[in-house]
Amino acid sequence: MTAGQRRMTGAQMVVQAMKDHGVEHLFGYPGGAVLPIYDVLFQQEDVKHILVRHEQGAGHAAEGYARSTGKPGVMLVTSGPGATNAVTPLQDALMDSIPLVCITGQVPTTLIGSDAFQECDTVGITRPCTKHNWLVKNVEDLARILHEAFYVATSGRPGPVVVDVPKDVQFATGTYTPPEPKQRHESYRVRLEADIERIRTAVSMLEGAKRPVIYSGGGVVNSGPEASRLLRELVELTGFPITSTLMGLGAYPASGRSWLGMLGMHGSYQANLAMHECDVMLCIGARFDDRITGRLDAFSPNSKKIHIDIDPSSINKTVHVELPIIGDVGHVLSDMVRVWKEENCRADGEALTGWWRKIDGWRARNCFAFTQDQKTIMPQYAVQRLYELTKHRETYITTEVGQHQMWAAQFYGFEEPNRWMTSGGLGTMGYGLPAALGVQIAHPDALVIDIAGDASVQMTMQEMSAAVQYGAPIKIFILNNQYMGMVRQWQQLLHGNRLSHSYSEALPDFVKLAAAYGGVGLRCEKPGDLDDAIREMIAVDKPVIFDCCVANLANCFPMIPSGRAHNEMMLPDEATDEAVAAAIDAKGRELV
């Protein structure tokens, strides 16, 4: 054996690989096909295991852990139903580019294909929802495959991987080789550095732009803190307006003077119209998702598009771009900032002033406007107050999926990357509570809040038990409108107000439910009581379910109906032309 090699069982290899890759926390649920691994976990203390209550919860907790730390999230589940329950978080991680390593148990190799107890074709089932997966048939291959799994999950465009380990391989003894400091994988090479001439061309296009827009995505966050810093520097150098996808929030600060707000189906009026009317678009680490583009044949029809992405398959997949740049966005942004400075580039000041004047006119519509009275809490107001009372703390926000998710994106201002965890691509109801658990395990002293809906949160409510067991004081802030709110909104606006099965007729008493789990339940029904109730929630050092009773029929605007273009947005009544005129008069501006 060479230096560093050791003889050990397959189960020991799994745990040793976790240690060698810096894994501190593991989210899992035991079962027959992984008991050898659990036995090894019991005999060590370096990797701390968090026992969830459902395998889906393990995956989402690992996603929250990964998104908030930049490290891979790791989950361990048994064969059969354990593996199939992991499919939802695997697909969620694939669509949102979250590094996730999933270890699954499998029946012994001699029983594979025999319909043995708790057997399923894990590799076949998870092939479409992972970057790569492996079925390990020989213990001598296990160490190499585990190291490859961590490499594939975290390099390039991050994503989930599965290593399926039969029980006899876990018992077998083989040779463990530690990972090499700089692994080479001939079949998987990631391109980090981009073609410098393409970057020079991009800088030239930006310098000549009259109506530019920077459009950033989750790839900026995934690239690390330096990429976010460079993005901010580029915005300052150019003076260009910037918008972002749902997954990209926080890479540029919400308080920044160039911030247009999020774009897309429920994005800001100014962001969407700027995208529609720009002449040069710089897309950084985003993939032109349908929730961003609206109707493809009407998406930003007169712009020249520059697309920076580490994933070649994302280039020209849905939207044709004039200048593709393949590389890690952090490396590309570094080169772009350097070239801009070296060549003493200057934006067209006169054109940019006119462009900002036009954007200010769109901003005057106050597209997120709502009316708050003294009787009923508006959901927008609830998120607004939550933001004001938590913005000066180390706060991490997760969400479920629905109206509350969009209101959180609209009204909670993110100043830093990695503070916002949400299910963007798959739109997974039930994501937020276990994701909050994962974030809290990673950041035990931080304030972690799941902004939830009364329907979504019930899908993984059992993870409150895990939060109580591990002393994770997550706050579940439910915007309770007694409906599947987004479903109800679409039914009202697009299906003749036929509210088919979207009303929650048998909601639990969330305050009693919290107490039943050993947590704390709070309820607020009046706007005047909201601030004190939020302060009480923050002060409690236990998991909290906060039942915030909000207006039942509030709709989330702006909204681009499915199949419409950016300039066909539906706005709230408060943003009518009359209201806009009053706002413009008050500010002494002209609507361009």
Side-chain angles (χ1 to χ4, degrees):
M1 289 190 294
T2 61
Q5 289 185 330
R6 286 185 284 165
R7 298 287 289 176
M8 61 179 70
T9 67
Q12 291 171 326
M13 290 182 188
V14 170
V15 177
Q16 187 60 48
M18 292 182 194
K19 294 178 183 179
D20 287 346
H21 288 276
V23 176
E24 297 178 30
H25 295 94
L26 166 68
F27 302 89
Y29 201 94
V34 284
L35 287 184
I37 299 172
Y38 271 88
D39 192 47
V40 175
L41 286 169
F42 184 83
Q43 299 175 61
Q44 58 83 54
E45 296 181 351
D46 294 328
V47 179
K48 296 176 177 60
H49 181 274
I50 307 300
L51 176 65
V52 296
R53 300 313 191 253
H54 189 282
E55 290 87 356
Q56 181 182 351
H60 295 324
E63 284 188 276
Y65 188 97
R67 186 71 175 176
S68 66
T69 62
K71 302 175 183 178
V74 185
M75 63 184 294
L76 173 63
V77 299
T78 194
S79 63
T84 58
N85 284 342
V87 165
T88 295
L90 287 171
Q91 180 66 23
D92 193 273
L94 183 70
M95 295 191 74
D96 286 346
S97 304
I98 307 300
L100 183 62
V101 177
C102 177
I103 310 294
T104 60
Q106 183 56 274
V107 300
T109 54
T110 55
L111 295 180
I112 291 176
S114 70
D115 292 333
F117 178 67
Q118 290 194 333
E119 180 193 0
C120 73
D121 180 7
T122 300
V123 166
I125 290 169
T126 63
R127 183 173 290 117
C129 56
T130 55
K131 280 185 73 176
H132 196 62
N133 60 14
W134 297 261
L135 171 61
V136 185
K137 296 182 179 179
N138 188 323
V139 71
E140 296 297 346
D141 297 326
L142 182 56
R144 171 185 57 80
I145 288 172
L146 289 167
H147 301 327
E148 283 183 3
F150 277 93
Y151 176 78
V152 172
T154 56
S155 61
R157 179 180 175 181
V161 297
V162 165
V163 181
D164 197 30
V165 190
K167 195 169 183 177
D168 58 327
V169 174
Q170 297 173 42
F171 277 124
T173 299
T175 301
Y176 178 83
T177 302
E180 298 177 12
K182 291 185 178 181
Q183 288 182 296
R184 287 183 58 83
H185 296 272
E186 297 301 323
S187 62
Y188 180 63
R189 295 183 180 180
V190 178
R191 182 173 178 176
L192 300 178
E193 304 287 346
D195 185 319
I196 191 64
E197 291 308 313
R198 286 180 177 266
I199 291 173
R200 293 186 190 280
T201 301
V203 168
S204 177
M205 289 171 64
L206 293 172
E207 186 180 24
K210 308 296 183 184
R211 300 183 307 281
V213 162
I214 296 175
Y215 153 38
S216 68
V220 180
V221 178
N222 287 341
S223 187
E226 180 65 7
S228 294
R229 187 196 68 77
L230 288 164
L231 175 68
R232 297 171 188 218
E233 184 175 359
L234 181 66
V235 173
E236 289 303 308
L237 282 172
T238 60
F240 291 174
I242 178 171
T243 182
S244 139
T245 65
L246 182 73
M247 299 302 295
L249 294 176
Y252 184 83
S255 62
R257 60 182 180 180
S258 294
W259 179 238
L260 301 182
M262 180 182 73
L263 83 157
M265 179 171 280
H266 293 285
S268 76
Y269 187 69
Q270 57 269 21
N272 283 322
L273 278 235
M275 286 287 280
H276 186 75
E277 296 199 12
C278 71
D279 67 343
V280 176
M281 176 198 305
L282 175 62
C283 174
I284 311 173
R287 57 187 177 88
F288 295 100
D289 176 75
D290 65 292
R291 284 303 194 257
I292 294 299
T293 62
R295 196 173 86 236
L296 274 173
D297 63 1
F299 172 66
S300 195
N302 300 311
S303 68
K304 293 181 178 178
K305 301 171 183 68
I306 306 163
H307 187 186
I308 303 169
D309 206 293
I310 200 167
D311 181 5
S313 70
S314 292
I315 303 291
N316 290 324
K317 182 169 67 176
T318 56
V319 172
H320 172 74
V321 299
E322 281 69 25
L323 181 61
I325 300 177
I326 299 171
D328 172 70
V329 296
H331 289 74
V332 176
L333 283 170
S334 178
D335 286 339
M336 192 169 281
V337 167
R338 177 176 55 79
V339 170
W340 186 280
K341 290 178 177 177
E342 286 178 353
E343 299 186 1
N344 294 314
C345 295
R346 295 288 184 272
D348 185 330
E350 184 178 350
L352 199 57
T353 298
W355 181 225
W356 272 113
R357 188 180 301 119
K358 193 163 193 175
I359 290 171
D360 280 342
W362 293 327
R363 275 177 169 161
R365 278 195 176 265
N366 192 14
C367 64
F368 297 139
F370 64 93
T371 301
Q372 177 62 60
D373 59 28
Q374 299 299 314
K375 296 180 180 180
T376 305
I377 301 172
M378 293 299 290
Q380 301 96 319
Y381 179 74
V383 178
Q384 229 177 35
R385 296 313 305 155
L386 183 68
Y387 169 65
E388 290 299 330
L389 294 168
T390 60
K391 66 181 179 181
H392 297 302
R393 305 172 62 102
E394 183 190 358
T395 304
Y396 294 81
I397 299 294
T398 71
T399 76
E400 308 296 333
V401 169
Q403 286 179 317
H404 63 275
Q405 177 191 29
M406 296 298 105
W407 282 317
Q410 291 173 348
F411 289 93
Y412 202 99
F414 295 95
E415 299 295 308
E416 300 294 336
N418 302 107
R419 298 296 183 90
W420 164 248
M421 276 58 64
T422 195
S423 175
L426 194 60
T428 305
M429 295 174 71
Y431 168 90
L433 198 163
L437 172 65
V439 175
Q440 191 77 78
I441 294 298
H443 307 276
D445 298 324
L447 176 62
V448 182
I449 303 171
D450 172 29
I451 299 178
D454 52 276
S456 282
V457 75
Q458 293 188 79
M459 291 197 167
T460 52
M461 179 60 80
Q462 68 272 8
E463 301 309 335
M464 274 293 288
S465 181
V468 170
Q469 177 178 340
Y470 293 98
I474 58 176
K475 318 301 183 189
I476 313 304
F477 190 77
I478 302 174
L479 300 182
N480 186 350
N481 59 12
Q482 300 182 300
Y483 280 94
M484 299 175 200
M486 193 63 84
V487 173
R488 194 270 313 149
Q489 177 171 334
W490 279 55
Q491 288 173 337
Q492 177 191 338
L493 299 177
L494 305 174
H495 295 276
N497 203 32
R498 292 180 290 277
L499 307 186
S500 178
H501 302 285
S502 55
Y503 178 62
S504 302
E505 295 190 36
L507 284 176
D509 183 324
F510 287 113
V511 173
K512 291 181 179 178
L513 188 60
Y517 276 115
V520 172
L522 301 172
R523 178 176 292 116
C524 185
E525 299 177 351
K526 300 297 181 185
D529 300 332
L530 187 57
D531 280 19
D532 286 342
I534 291 174
R535 291 189 186 99
E536 184 179 357
M537 176 190 76
I538 295 169
V540 174
D541 191 26
K542 282 186 175 183
V544 175
I545 297 178
F546 188 112
D547 188 10
C548 187
C549 303
V550 300
N552 298 107
L553 300 176
N555 283 331
C556 184
F557 289 113
M559 175 182 176
I560 303 175
S562 184
R564 299 287 184 86
H566 280 174
N567 60 343
E568 299 176 287
M569 299 187 76
M570 298 172 65
L571 295 174
D573 292 340
E574 290 82 356
T576 59
D577 287 336
E578 292 78 7
V580 172
I584 294 167
D585 289 343
K587 294 181 180 180
R589 294 176 177 172
E590 289 185 8
L591 183 60
V592 179

